[in-house]
């Protein structure tokens, strides 16, 4: 008897090539839930981290800019950002897979995804995307009105991003605009306003995204050309290392400026030293990635991309220590 390719049970054991082996979805999730969790990239949590970390950057930097202003509500905000990042990343990835289903079928790394492989229909994927977005919308009620409006505005770059690879060689810029919105949102959730420090931090995040997602895009260079996809990996080619160095330097300088403007006028030397250590740790991690990068090694590129969770957590950790001094 022929199996129904749209049945989750029939395709439950299909493995996504870039998902970590032994991930919790493959090991513990019910068969019927696995395709939907894979649509949300629940088996690949690095994207949630990369969406969440700028939120925490912005939140902690806002607390640092106003000594003594931190409180229990900021802890609630930090948890809300984590839940929101998981849900909105899931909704965004589902939207990405709906729009890219025909392109994904042409790329080796993505053809096993739930929609092109027939595990989930487009209609069911759309329902799943809507459910995640609705749940995420409920989190907005812990934010102040300005932050709520800013969070809603984040939907615009999220909706546009999947189409960027069709009309520009710089889709990573659009990803950076979407993924680092949290730097603005984190600051606004604490202060109820924006200023130059969170904007500089946001731009630092975009530069960081150009760094790590160019590395990520080098996995697909061979398949992207016949599929008609564009990326900075294809644009830079053999010159990738020089471009990545520029992005790393720009991200570091912009982060340093954001932190200096936010805290130097209002904090003491120990606080400033701790914050500076976070920036140094961030820069050192990017330098390490550049040193070991081999753009012809797809597995190595994926591993370096994933390591950016640690690169982003380093400044967040030291900013938090500085806020606790």
């Amino acid at each position: 008897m022929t199996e129904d390719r749209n049945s989750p049970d029939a395709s439950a054991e299909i493995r996504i090539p870039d998902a970590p082996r032994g991930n919790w979805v493959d090991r513990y999730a019910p068969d019927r839930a696995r395709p939907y969790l894979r649509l949300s990239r629940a088996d690949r949590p690095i994207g949630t981290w990369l969406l969440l970390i700028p939120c925490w950057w912005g939140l902690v930097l806002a607390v640092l800019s106003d000594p003594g202003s931190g409180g229990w509500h900021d802890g609630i905000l930090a948890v809300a950002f984590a839940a929101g990042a998981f849900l909105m990343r899931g909704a965004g990835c589902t939207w990405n897979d709906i729009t890219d289903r025909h392109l994904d079928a042409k790329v080796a790394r993505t053809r096993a995804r739930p929609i092109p492989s027939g595990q989930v229909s487009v209609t069911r994927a759309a329902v799943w995307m809507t459910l995640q977005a609705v749940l995420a919308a409920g989190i907005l009620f812990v934010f102040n009105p300005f932050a709520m409006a800013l969070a809603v505005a984040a939907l615009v770059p999220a909706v546009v991003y999947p189409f960027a690879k069709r009309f520009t060689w710089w889709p990573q810029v659009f990803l950076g605009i979407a993924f680092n919105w949290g730097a603005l949102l984190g600051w606004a959730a604490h202060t109820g306003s924006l200023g130059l420090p969170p904007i500089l931090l946001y731009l630092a995040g975009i530069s960081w995204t150009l760094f790590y997602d160019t590395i990520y895009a080098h996995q697909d260079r061979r398949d992207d050309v016949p599929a008609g996809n564009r990326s900075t990996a294809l644009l830079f080619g053999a010159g990738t290392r020089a471009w990545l160095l520029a992005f790393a330097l720009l991200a570091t300088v912009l982060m340093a400026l954001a932190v200096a403007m936010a805290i130097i006028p209002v904090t003491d030397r120990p606080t400033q030293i701790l914050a500076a250590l976070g920036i140094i740790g961030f820069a050192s991690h990017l330098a390490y990635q550049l040193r070991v990068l081999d753009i012809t090694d797809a597995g190595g590129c994926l591993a370096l991309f994933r390591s950016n969770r640690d690169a982003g957590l380093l400044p967040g950790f030291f900013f938090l220590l500085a806020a606790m001094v």
Side-chain angles (χ1 to χ4, degrees), residues 162-185:
F163 301 100
K165 68 175 73 71
R166 295 166 168 82
F167 62 81
T168 178
W169 292 102
W170 294 83
Q172 281 69 27
V173 171
F174 289 83
L175 180 67
I177 290 170
F179 256 55
N180 293 281
W181 201 268
L184 304 175
L185 187 57

Side-chain angles (χ1 to χ4, degrees), residues 78-313:
V79 173
F81 282 132
F86 178 80
L87 290 168
M88 285 309 299
R89 191 252 183 156
C93 287
T94 305
W95 169 245
N96 183 85
D97 283 9
I98 291 171
T99 60
D100 279 359
R101 59 191 184 276
H102 301 302
L103 294 175
D104 284 347
K106 301 176 182 179
V107 177
R109 185 179 58 83
T110 58
R111 64 171 57 106
R113 286 178 175 175
I115 297 177
S117 65
Q119 299 174 67
V120 178
S121 69
V122 173
T123 300
R124 290 182 177 182
V127 171
W128 177 238
M129 176 186 69
T130 303
L131 175 61
Q132 294 172 95
V134 169
L135 291 173
I139 297 171
L140 295 179
F141 292 101
V142 306
F143 297 151
N144 59 60
F146 180 74
M148 289 178 67
L150 197 61
V152 172
L155 292 174
V156 175
V159 168
V160 172
Y161 164 66
F163 301 100
K165 68 175 73 71
R166 295 166 168 82
F167 62 81
T168 178
W169 292 102
W170 294 83
Q172 281 69 27
V173 171
F174 289 83
L175 180 67
I177 290 170
F179 256 55
N180 293 281
W181 201 268
L184 304 175
L185 187 57
W187 179 284
H190 178 82
T191 67
S193 64
L194 283 178
L196 188 54
I199 292 173
L200 291 171
L201 191 64
Y202 177 53
L203 295 175
I206 293 174
S207 300
W208 178 41
T209 301
L210 279 161
F211 178 91
Y212 66 65
D213 205 60
T214 297
I215 294 174
Y216 183 80
H218 270 285
Q219 298 176 89
D220 298 330
R221 284 182 305 156
R222 292 181 179 178
D223 290 329
D224 277 343
V225 173
N229 293 334
R230 303 179 185 184
S231 73
T232 49
L234 290 174
L235 179 64
F236 302 155
T240 290
R241 193 176 297 275
W243 279 96
L244 293 183
L245 176 60
F247 295 143
L249 290 172
L250 184 59
T252 302
V253 170
L254 287 169
M255 181 183 288
L257 288 173
V259 172
M261 291 189 65
I263 74 171
I264 286 180
V266 296
T267 60
D268 57 17
R269 187 59 59 84
T271 300
Q272 295 164 18
I273 290 173
L274 283 170
L277 287 174
I279 299 168
I280 292 169
F282 176 73
S284 298
H285 200 292
L286 300 192
Y288 160 76
Q289 292 182 58
L290 270 175
R291 182 172 63 83
V292 302
L293 174 66
D294 177 1
I295 61 173
T296 66
D297 178 7
C301 287
L302 179 59
L304 285 179
F305 166 74
R306 289 174 177 162
S307 77
N308 279 278
R309 179 201 64 177
D310 298 337
L313 285 176

